[in-house]
Amino acid sequence: RRGIKVAYPDLGLVEQEQQQQQQQRQKEGQQQDAQQITAMVVDVCLRLQDGRQVAVLVLDDSQYCHFPPNRLRGAAAVDMLVLQSLGLAVLPLPLAEWQALAGDELQQKRYLEARLAAATS
């Protein structure tokens, strides 16, 4: 009887390769999640002349706490944190304040310029 030698792959290397592939898939999934999150929460994204990006979030009254006033509720606050973690400046735009300026384009322009300056400083 002759012995037949069969070469088996090193199981440690196979496991290590599988772990690396799994980590790569997770990393790709996180990147896709970040892109999807950005697309879901940004109403308008502006690119400034210096290359910075500003995410404009239009927020209605339901996204603010009653007490303390002007404090964002959970989902809106998380949206802002996610966008900031992605490197975007965030300009929260309360819908009620914008609607109060309806019909006065000059006031709207000044309002947006002031909010943009505050968000990017």
Side-chain angles (χ1 to χ4, degrees):
R1 239 175 151 174
R2 292 186 187 173
I4 299 175
K5 292 185 178 181
V6 177
Y8 292 101
D10 182 2
L11 293 179
L13 290 176
V14 171
E15 289 175 5
Q16 185 179 16
E17 186 176 315
Q18 288 174 344
Q19 287 176 349
Q20 288 173 347
Q21 289 172 350
Q22 183 179 7
Q23 289 172 349
Q24 181 64 28
R25 284 192 300 270
Q26 287 175 343
K27 183 186 271 186
E28 290 169 0
Q30 289 171 348
Q31 290 171 348
Q32 288 175 350
D33 288 347
Q35 290 170 352
Q36 290 172 353
I37 289 170
T38 303
M40 290 188 308
V41 297
V42 174
D43 294 304
V44 177
C45 189
L46 306 173
R47 185 177 301 273
L48 303 180
Q49 290 177 345
D50 62 6
R52 291 182 295 168
Q53 291 183 329
V54 180
V56 178
L57 296 179
V58 178
L59 304 168
D60 64 20
D61 290 340
S62 70
Q63 293 169 304
Y64 287 95
C65 294
H66 294 288
F67 186 81
N70 299 325
R71 186 173 184 178
L72 290 175
R73 295 179 73 182
V78 169
D79 289 347
M80 285 191 61
L81 290 173
V82 168
L83 292 167
Q84 289 169 343
S85 72
L86 292 171
L88 286 96
V90 180
L91 189 161
L93 185 65
L95 186 59
E97 289 180 13
W98 182 254
Q99 288 175 337
L101 300 173
D104 189 348
E105 289 184 27
L106 183 59
Q107 282 295 100
Q108 288 178 333
K109 182 180 177 184
R110 288 181 182 158
Y111 175 80
L112 284 178
E113 287 172 346
R115 294 299 300 248
L116 187 58
T120 57
S121 62

